[in-house]
Amino acid sequence: MGSSVNSKPKVIKGPAGYVLEDVPHFSDYIPELPTHSNPLQDNPAYSVVKQYFVHVDDSVPQKIIAHKDSPRGVHFRRAGPRQRVYYDADEVQAAIVTCGGLCPGLNTVIRELVCGLNNMYGVKKVMGINGGYKGFYAHNTIALTPKSVNDIHKRGGTVLGSSRGGHDTTKIVDSIQDRGINQVYIIGGDGTQRGASRIFEEVRRRGLKVAVVGIPKTIDNDIPVIDKSFGFDTAVEEAQRAINAAHVEAESIENGIGVVKLMGRYSGFIAMYATLASRDVDCCLIPESPFYMEGPGGLLEFVERRLKENGHMVIVVAEGAGQELVSESMQSMAKQDASGNKLLQDVGLWMSQQIKDHFAKLKTMTINLKYIDPTYMIRAVPSNASDNVYCTLLAQSAVHGAMAGYTGFTCGLVNGRQTYIPFYRITEGQNKVVITDRMWARLLSSTNQPSFIIHKSDTAEEHKEEQPLELPK
């Protein structure tokens, strides 16, 4: 198939350690394609903007903290409209698909892709693929027009429907060819982006002029390289309501404990930011920071102490935290969903029961525990104002990139700038909370919880000192 040859990263090196991790372009594999001048230059909305088109050499650094003598490091291509485009408006047949779990902002991205293609570039033919990847070959499509998507950003979920799994590269690319689709916008998490990368490789192998563009979606904010993923702000804001309810419940009764389970399968970003924003939380437990229940310095001892001091407490736990403790006590099997994600045991219920059992044995203190699980409520809401703006920028960046002939890339915010990132950087691993970093230290000082780490504390201190001096890799 030769796809391993195709996949060679496109890296451009310059003086003083400058490295540009570039994204593929049609001109890499289709010779002598005609280009057109960008219709935006005649658009009255944009004629007032000086230097509206992005300069051909504009790039954005991955790391912005550097020393006077450190090398310049890795850069990504800056997103935005280019002076020459590789499509005529009438020839474009675009398709949009959403895959994986729900996330606030999905409908906003769909709306802005449709409106961006139409209003900026005059593209009239846009279709939605129904029900995730399998919709490509199940022949489920809906026509999308600015009128039909006008109000969808006010609703949660995705108007296109979504599913996990169902990825068959050959069948999907066959369907793209059969339908004459030449721009594909794929909204989904790391598994979806890996699938998008395979679609791009097959499109390239066949020499098709089809732009394959990813828009990264994960409510857990665990996609590497980018500053944050869309929907994350909304999720943290919505989590506040649950934490506030738990706090009210706990405060209103003697020895009240509120336990809130938040999303975060492998990464505790929602739990960490919601805890920092709330200030009512006494303990935050995340997958990256192991904890233990029994014995000195354990969670149960801390709960006892906090109840004696304050008369109530609130615990926030990410769904992926403490899984090894739950599995141990429940002898669970390692099962997976259709996307290959581990099916987790309910740590919130398990922990609530452990705390109840502990105090029942003690007999010296009666507790009142309330367990709140807002997991799916958080991801089903429409996006808030800041996420709506972010979704708009992501969608417009995706459209500009595809029209300019770029393909095989994901859009994302890097150091506050919209960029085009090659697929392999997005799928190289998951972003996790670094518990030797300053943000986690801020959380510990806000909650006054034990760090549950005994023997590692010395090395953590050393690492904290080194953190600000991180050089570009």
Side-chain angles (χ1 to χ4, degrees), residues 254-309:
E254 189 188 2
N255 292 330
I257 300 174
V259 176
V260 181
K261 184 180 84 171
L262 297 177
M263 285 196 148
R265 190 185 290 276
Y266 304 110
S267 309
F269 288 104
I270 292 180
M272 176 168 81
Y273 278 85
T275 295
L276 275 167
S278 151
R279 305 282 165 189
D280 287 334
V281 178
D282 297 274
C283 187
C284 173
L285 303 167
I286 59 171
E288 295 88 337
S289 182
F291 66 95
Y292 53 97
M293 301 293 289
E294 317 276 343
L299 181 67
L300 295 170
E301 183 189 80
F302 175 64
V303 172
E304 270 181 61
R305 192 169 76 240
R306 194 45 64 95
L307 287 178
K308 281 174 188 153
E309 288 165 3

Side-chain angles (χ1 to χ4, degrees), residues 44-62:
Y46 296 101
S47 58
V48 295
V49 184
K50 277 198 186 119
Q51 194 52 54
Y52 179 66
F53 294 112
V54 172
H55 190 275
V56 65
D57 286 333
D58 277 5
S59 65
V60 177
Q62 184 180 349

Side-chain angles (χ1 to χ4, degrees), residues 266 336-342:
Y266 304 110
Q336 295 185 330
D337 67 13
S339 293
N341 297 315
K342 213 163 63 174

Side-chain angles (χ1 to χ4, degrees), residues 269-440:
F269 288 104
I270 292 180
M272 176 168 81
Y273 278 85
T275 295
L276 275 167
S278 151
R279 305 282 165 189
D280 287 334
V281 178
D282 297 274
C283 187
C284 173
L285 303 167
I286 59 171
E288 295 88 337
S289 182
F291 66 95
Y292 53 97
M293 301 293 289
E294 317 276 343
L299 181 67
L300 295 170
E301 183 189 80
F302 175 64
V303 172
E304 270 181 61
R305 192 169 76 240
R306 194 45 64 95
L307 287 178
K308 281 174 188 153
E309 288 165 3
N310 291 352
H312 68 274
M313 80 176 295
V314 175
I315 300 170
V316 165
V317 56
E319 60 181 330
Q323 282 298 312
E324 65 292 339
L325 299 177
V326 190
S327 305
E328 218 171 276
S329 72
M330 295 171 85
Q331 281 91 45
S332 62
M333 299 294 288
K335 292 181 183 157
Q336 295 185 330
D337 67 13
S339 293
N341 297 315
K342 213 163 63 174
L343 286 173
L344 303 175
Q345 300 288 338
D346 192 326
V347 65
L349 277 175
W350 175 83
M351 182 185 292
S352 302
Q353 197 54 51
Q354 293 282 316
I355 294 170
K356 285 177 185 167
D357 292 350
H358 173 75
F359 282 96
K361 270 189 249 150
L362 271 185
K363 295 194 173 74
T364 52
M365 194 189 267
T366 311
I367 61 153
N368 290 282
L369 187 143
K370 300 286 187 291
Y371 174 48
I372 297 177
D373 180 355
T375 315
Y376 294 106
M377 291 167 69
I378 284 175
R379 72 180 201 176
V381 296
S383 49
N384 66 10
S386 74
D387 269 329
N388 267 338
V389 173
Y390 185 24
C391 289
T392 304
L393 297 181
L394 278 173
Q396 291 187 357
S397 296
V399 168
H400 291 316
M403 292 301 289
Y406 292 107
T407 177
F409 70 88
T410 290
C411 296
L413 207 61
V414 176
N415 294 322
R417 296 275 180 190
Q418 290 287 340
T419 60
Y420 298 143
I421 305 161
F423 279 138
Y424 64 86
R425 286 305 306 272
I426 290 292
T427 58
E428 65 190 0
Q430 279 170 320
N431 223 8
K432 294 188 187 311
V433 174
V434 179
I435 58 169
T436 50
D437 203 357
R438 289 188 174 146
M439 208 61 181
W440 187 244

Side-chain angles (χ1 to χ4, degrees), residues 64-75:
I64 46 173
I65 296 173
H67 300 276
K68 59 183 189 297
D69 52 357
S70 62
R72 289 171 66 190
V74 171
H75 288 62

